[in-house]
Every structure is written in C-alpha cells, then in structure tokens.
Amino acid sequence: MRSLLIGAGGHGGDTLLPAACSAGLPLSAIVDQDAERAKQLAAQWMIPQLYASVGEVDTGVFDAALIALPVTAQADHAAWAIKAGLHTFVEKPPAPDLDGLHALITLARQAGVTACVGMNFRWAEGVRKLAEVLESGRYGSVRCVRVEHMARKPVTTFGPDMSLAASLFAAQGIHAIDLAQMLLPGQTSTTGQMIKVERGCLCSMVSTDPDAGTRMEVQFGSCQAGFYHSVQVTTSRGDLLHLRDLSELQLRPGGGDPHVQDYPGARVLWRRSPTSGGYAHAGYGPELGAFRDLLHGADAPAHLARLEDLLPVYEAFDLLLKTEGLSWTA
C-alpha cells in the first residue's frame, strides 16, 4: 500500500508522520509547499517522493492519503483525496462547519472510499483503559458522563472565515463532545451556553435522555494556563470512575457495595507508567494502526472514527450556536 502525507507542518511532520511509521503505515510521498521542510523530513524518514501541491500528484500510484493542515485547508484537501479515489485519514476537524461535514460524507459515499478522522483522544491509553473497565460490566452501565477539556488556545480565530466559537470547537470542543458521546451515545436533548471569561472562551453543554435517565455534561475552554483533562463516569451501581489528566484512573465505589463500607476511599485502577509515552500513549499510533488494518481488510474497531461518526458532534455544537445567536463563520 502506498500512502502520501499532505501537510508536513508541526502536527503533520512532527506527530502524524512518525506515528504512522511506528504504526506500520509507511509513507511514500510528502506534499507540502515548504520545500526545505519537506526535504528534511523526507531524508530523515527515507520518503522517496516530494510534491509542492496536490496538483502535481499522480493519484493513480497511491492508495491512501493522510492529511494534517490548518483547519480551513483540511476540508478542501480531504475532498480532493476522496474525489481522487484515495482512502483518507484527515486530522480533526475534517470540516469547518456542519454543512462542510455533510458535503464530505456525501463525497465519500459516492466515491466508495474509506474516510476516517483523527480523533486521538478516543485512543489515548487512559481512555482505552476506562473503556475496558466499563465494557467488563463489573461496575454496571453508564448513567452520567462529564468531560472537562481545558487548554490555553485559541484566543483568536483560526482563519478569516471562522468565528471564535467555531475555532474553539475545532481546537477543544470537538474532542470533548466526541469523547462524551462515545462513552454515552444517544443523548438528544442538548442545551448549553458560552460563558464569559476574561481571556479566551469557555463553553458548557448538557445533553440528556429523559426516558433512559442518563446525562452527558461537557465543558471545554481556552481560558486556562495549561492543559487540564478530566473524564468522570457514574454508573448504574453508583460507582464513580474518574480519569484524571489521562494519567490516572480512580474508582470511587458506590454505597451499595458491602465490601467497601470499611474503606470507602478511592482505588487506583490504572496509572500511567513512567515508561509509557509517545504516540501510543497519546493515541496516534494505535489509531493509525487501526486505519492501516482496516485498509488491509480487518474489521474496524467501533472507536475508529468515520466522517459520519462526527455528525452528532457537529450537530450538538450547531444547536448551541443557534441557541446563542452565533454562527460557524466570522
């Protein structure tokens, strides 16, 4: 299989490229207008072919494209790759707004190609451990999920056509909403607001299923001094599972378990090893490995994100924008 990387900037060249190679997804070409940067990466990773733009690419000799570009350029290049019949892996966000995502989904269906989105938080080591614990059934079923995803950017828009709210979604919100929906799908009644802060943005959203008695809470923002991440899951047994900063998973047992009454404190179910790091810990390696296996005919894991899997995420934020009188565009 011959693959090409479109975008050799900080994320594409420093993260996606080495993660792909470590995952057994070798690259045969780089597309980037920065000729010197592309040349250095090609020499470092023994990649034989360089192109300044996709217009130079003979698509007939390639099978797949990995795309990592600024937000406003990703959708155009994803559309180019899909139309060319290339299986496509595009970093998040795949499109700058809901209409753009619908357009890409339609193109992928018409072309009959596999189109996946880089949602590495689904594949982070701590999230995979949390999912494993939940799937064991030992702690009951999920009833409430709360995800906090805080960082220090963006404080300006990602492009002249994007609003600051859309830029916040592209940087932080898409991951937070997607992760919460992965853990507790099917929440339909969504409310939320943009909260006023001195620097950056802060957004809070709630989705519920009144019939099932379940609730999903998401808070994300760009007003923090660093990156802070928290996932809390309350189960039908009353157990609370807390994944803190993707580095430690705690269990706070529910009150109905007679075995914990003498010691109701938290138990550590998993803690990141000092030797655990790099692309596998952050999710990039396992995610690209799953994309590789899918193209080779293997069954796709449920948490490998396709374009259509992002529809509920975009729709939830679109509803919030309309409620707030905001839009995707500036």
Side-chain angles (χ1 to χ4, degrees):
M1 183 174 68
R2 291 172 58 83
S3 304
L4 59 91
L5 172 68
I6 304 174
H11 188 71
D14 296 338
T15 300
L16 210 58
L17 191 162
C21 293
S22 71
L25 184 63
L27 296 168
S28 303
I30 295 176
V31 181
D32 199 283
Q33 59 185 351
D34 187 339
E36 188 58 34
R37 164 78 169 168
K39 184 178 179 181
Q40 291 175 357
L41 287 169
Q44 179 182 353
W45 294 96
M46 295 182 290
I47 297 173
Q49 189 68 51
L50 299 176
Y51 301 101
S53 71
V54 293
E56 300 177 3
V57 177
D58 178 3
T59 57
V61 301
F62 294 100
D63 305 293
L66 277 60
I67 304 171
L69 292 167
V71 175
T72 52
Q74 285 202 136
D76 290 340
H77 285 79
W80 170 86
I82 291 169
K83 288 178 181 177
L86 299 176
H87 300 298
T88 302
F89 181 96
V90 57
E91 274 297 299
K92 63 86 186 174
D97 55 32
L98 178 58
D99 289 341
L101 180 61
H102 276 294
L104 285 180
I105 292 171
T106 299
L107 283 176
R109 287 173 178 168
Q110 292 172 345
V113 300
T114 298
C116 295
V117 184
M119 301 299 296
N120 65 292
F121 276 83
R122 290 184 173 210
W123 294 82
E125 188 177 1
V127 173
R128 283 183 284 136
K129 184 61 181 179
L130 172 60
E132 178 186 320
V133 168
L134 291 171
E135 289 166 3
S136 73
R138 179 178 178 183
Y139 302 100
S141 56
V142 178
R143 285 292 179 265
C144 182
V145 171
R146 178 177 176 82
V147 176
E148 294 184 54
H149 187 116
M150 300 296 191
R152 58 179 292 109
K153 62 181 182 180
V155 291
T156 58
T157 64
F158 283 159
D161 297 327
M162 291 186 69
S163 67
L164 185 56
S167 299
L168 175 65
F169 171 79
Q172 317 299 345
I174 189 171
H175 274 310
I177 301 169
D178 176 68
L179 188 55
Q181 290 186 346
M182 184 189 82
L183 293 169
L184 186 59
Q187 310 307 292
T188 55
S189 179
T190 301
T191 59
Q193 72 177 105
M194 300 295 293
I195 300 168
K196 292 184 178 180
V197 290
E198 290 185 5
R199 177 195 175 278
C201 300
L202 181 62
C203 179
S204 182
M205 298 177 64
V206 174
S207 297
T208 63
D209 183 342
D211 293 335
T214 54
R215 180 181 179 92
M216 183 186 81
E217 302 176 6
V218 179
Q219 191 169 91
F220 52 91
S222 59
C223 55
Q224 298 296 304
F227 176 67
Y228 309 111
H229 198 270
S230 173
V231 182
Q232 296 185 50
V233 177
T234 303
T235 71
S236 56
R237 285 168 39 105
D239 295 324
L240 174 63
L241 295 158
H242 182 205
L243 177 62
R244 180 181 59 83
D245 288 332
L246 301 175
S247 62
E248 183 177 86
L249 178 60
Q250 289 186 352
L251 165 67
R252 299 176 183 272
D257 189 339
H259 298 93
V260 302
Q261 292 180 4
D262 291 338
Y263 176 56
R267 281 95 162 133
V268 175
L269 301 183
W270 169 84
R271 183 175 287 146
R272 180 184 176 187
S273 166
T275 62
S276 171
Y279 307 113
H281 171 71
Y284 293 107
E287 183 178 32
L288 287 166
F291 178 67
R292 172 209 62 206
D293 293 344
L294 178 61
L295 298 188
H296 285 151
D299 292 334
H303 49 293
L304 181 63
R306 311 280 190 120
L307 284 172
E308 54 269 28
D309 295 331
L310 272 295
L311 268 177
V313 180
Y314 275 74
E315 289 169 348
F317 194 71
D318 185 68
L319 179 60
L320 180 140
L321 289 178
K322 291 176 179 176
T323 302
E324 291 276 292
L326 301 171
S327 69
W328 294 92
T329 55

